[in-house]
Amino acid sequence: MTTPDPQSPSPQPPVPASKDRAYRSPAGIAGGVLLLALALWLGIDAVVAGEGRTPWTAAAALLFLVPLIAAYTVRPAVFAGDDRMRVRNPFRVIVLPWGQVESFRSAYSNEIFSEAGDKYQLWALPVSLRGRKKAARQESRRVAGGGRGRGGLLGGARGAGSGGAVDGAPVRAEADKVMDELRELWEARKDAETSRGEVAVRWAWEVVVPVVVGAVGLAVLLGTG
C-alpha cells in the first residue's frame, strides 16, 4: 500500500511593486487637446481641399505644429517613485534618483535642483498665481473661523486651485501641495541605498525630429513661394 505524496505548497504570487505617483496638469491637457483638434481640422481640410502648394504647406505646418503643441501641453508629466523621480518635459526626460536631488523651489515656476547644481523645470506642475491667491483667502477664512476650514477631505480631493485644508493643515494651491508631497517623499527616501545613482537626461527625439523637419519644410515652401 502506497501513501500519497503530500501536496507541494502552491507558489505565492509575487508582491506587486509600488506604482509611481503621476502628476500632470489637467488644464494643460484639456487646452492641448482643443488646440490639437483645431490644428488637425484646419490642416487636414487644407491638405484635402487646397490647391497648388497649399496642401504641401499645410502638411509641413501640421508636421511642425502638432508635435510642438503636444510637447508643451499633453506630454509633460512627473512620476515619483520610492527610489527616483522621472520628469517628462517638452523636449527632454530627466531621471533623478532621490539621492541626487539637492532641493526644490517654487516661485513663478516649480523647479528641482540636483547635487551637481543643475536646474530642471517641472513643466507638468505650472504655478497658478490665481490659485495661490484663492488658497490664501481660504486660509485666512479658515484661521478667522477657528481653524475649521470648509475644505475638509472633500476640498482636498478637488481639482487644481482648490487645495482645501485637511485635519487643520494650511490651505495650499494644488501645485504647491504636489511640491510638498515631492519634498516629503524626497526627505524620506534620499538616504536610502536604492535611491543612489546618476542623473540621466535623454532628448525626446520623437518630438524634436518632426518639429525640425516640419520647420525646415515650412521655411522652404514659404521661402520659395
Side-chain angles (χ1 to χ4, degrees):
M1 181 177 180
T2 60
T3 57
D5 295 334
Q7 293 183 353
S8 59
S10 57
Q12 296 295 329
V15 179
S18 59
K19 293 183 178 180
D20 292 350
R21 306 177 192 180
Y23 303 97
R24 307 181 75 175
S25 172
I29 294 174
V33 170
L34 291 177
L35 287 175
L36 287 173
L38 179 62
L40 289 173
W41 174 43
L42 296 176
I44 293 176
D45 180 71
V47 170
V48 174
E51 298 178 355
R53 299 164 63 95
T54 300
W56 293 102
T57 304
L62 284 176
L63 189 60
F64 170 70
L65 289 175
V66 169
L68 192 64
I69 294 172
Y72 280 97
T73 58
V74 180
R75 175 182 170 82
V78 173
F79 303 94
D82 291 338
D83 302 328
R84 60 186 54 83
M85 69 180 299
R86 181 163 57 94
V87 181
R88 194 169 68 192
N89 280 343
F91 298 107
R92 295 191 300 177
V93 177
I94 305 103
V95 178
L96 296 105
W98 292 121
Q100 288 289 337
V101 176
E102 172 66 24
S103 62
F104 294 83
R105 185 173 70 182
S106 298
Y108 294 103
S109 63
N110 289 313
E111 301 163 344
I112 184 172
F113 291 83
S114 69
E115 291 280 355
D118 296 320
K119 179 180 71 175
Y120 305 101
Q121 185 174 345
L122 306 181
W123 282 85
L125 304 176
V127 170
S128 172
L129 298 180
R130 180 180 179 184
R132 283 180 174 174
K133 292 179 180 178
K134 180 179 179 181
R137 290 195 299 268
Q138 291 178 349
E139 175 64 9
S140 298
R141 289 197 296 265
R142 185 186 73 86
V143 173
R148 294 185 61 85
R150 296 172 56 189
L153 294 176
L154 179 60
R158 290 178 184 173
S162 60
V166 181
D167 296 334
V171 181
R172 302 273 283 165
E174 190 67 21
D176 293 333
K177 289 170 58 181
V178 172
M179 292 296 287
D180 291 341
E181 292 180 12
L182 293 175
R183 286 190 186 96
E184 292 174 1
L185 184 57
W186 164 60
E187 291 174 355
R189 297 293 302 170
K190 62 182 180 179
D191 296 325
E193 185 69 27
T194 55
S195 298
R196 300 179 181 178
E198 299 296 330
V199 178
V201 180
R202 179 183 68 84
W203 285 96
W205 297 111
E206 65 276 13
V207 176
V208 174
V209 171
V211 168
V212 172
V213 172
V216 172
L218 193 60
V220 170
L221 288 170
L222 294 177
T224 58

